[in-house]
Amino acid sequence: MPKQRNEMSSKDIKKAANTFANLHKDEVGRMLSLALDGQEQVFATSSPVGGVASPTNPWPTYLAEFAPKLPWLGMTQGVPTRPFSTCAEAHVWMELMGRGKNPRSYTLVSFNGDGIIASPCANCAKWVERAFGGVYKETPAYEGRTRQLPN
């Protein structure tokens, strides 16, 4: 049976994660995410949201533009000190929307700078399963898994 558009092999997903992690090795302490649909790969990193919007920091504009559609709208943060909008998964979702793409057509994968696949954090775990077509994870939870930590 042929794969659906948003289904990719674990080998392909790991290869894409490692490629992106290698390109961003200098961004210590950030988590990374990518959305794949079998033809396109859209990457993002975690970071503070704010400041002036620019080609390298479009999220302040995206937050305003997609405010009524944000998949975490009305949810209580699982990590109280970090807004939903700072996570790489949120940035990937907003980037897809900014490109006019449907995140439900993509598989999401999160990983650290070493390319180690990580389950979404407590914030993202609340919304990513509903917002993307699939979520690739190799462990059941992010918390308590020190080898997945950003540093």
Side-chain angles (χ1 to χ4, degrees), residues 7-81:
E7 289 184 37
M8 296 182 65
S9 74
S10 61
K11 181 180 174 183
D12 291 338
I13 290 171
K14 289 177 184 184
K15 181 179 176 183
N18 280 312
T19 297
F20 187 62
N22 286 330
L23 292 173
H24 294 272
K25 279 197 179 291
D26 60 335
E27 298 183 40
V28 177
R30 290 188 177 189
M31 289 301 290
L32 311 163
S33 286
L34 71 108
L36 310 111
D37 74 349
Q39 297 173 354
E40 181 179 26
Q41 299 175 1
V42 178
F43 299 98
T45 63
S46 64
S47 68
V49 172
V52 178
S54 70
T56 59
N57 185 28
W59 300 291
T61 300
Y62 290 160
L63 277 172
E65 182 178 348
F66 303 121
K69 297 178 183 177
L70 296 173
W72 56 87
L73 192 64
M75 292 182 176
T76 303
Q77 294 168 191
V79 182
T81 59

Side-chain angles (χ1 to χ4, degrees), residues 89-110:
E89 294 88 344
H91 291 180
V92 161
W93 185 90
M94 289 187 282
E95 183 61 32
L96 288 169
M97 294 294 288
R99 294 180 184 191
K101 307 286 183 170
N102 180 356
R104 300 267 323 139
S105 298
Y106 290 78
T107 296
L108 174 77
V109 60
S110 303

Side-chain angles (χ1 to χ4, degrees), residues 84-141:
F84 288 106
S85 59
T86 62
C87 291
E89 294 88 344
H91 291 180
V92 161
W93 185 90
M94 289 187 282
E95 183 61 32
L96 288 169
M97 294 294 288
R99 294 180 184 191
K101 307 286 183 170
N102 180 356
R104 300 267 323 139
S105 298
Y106 290 78
T107 296
L108 174 77
V109 60
S110 303
F111 49 99
N112 69 11
D114 294 327
I116 296 171
I117 307 291
S119 293
C121 73
N123 280 344
C124 296
K126 291 184 170 196
W127 63 269
V128 295
E129 297 281 347
R130 291 187 316 273
F132 291 92
V135 178
Y136 181 82
K137 49 191 171 183
E138 296 181 336
T139 57

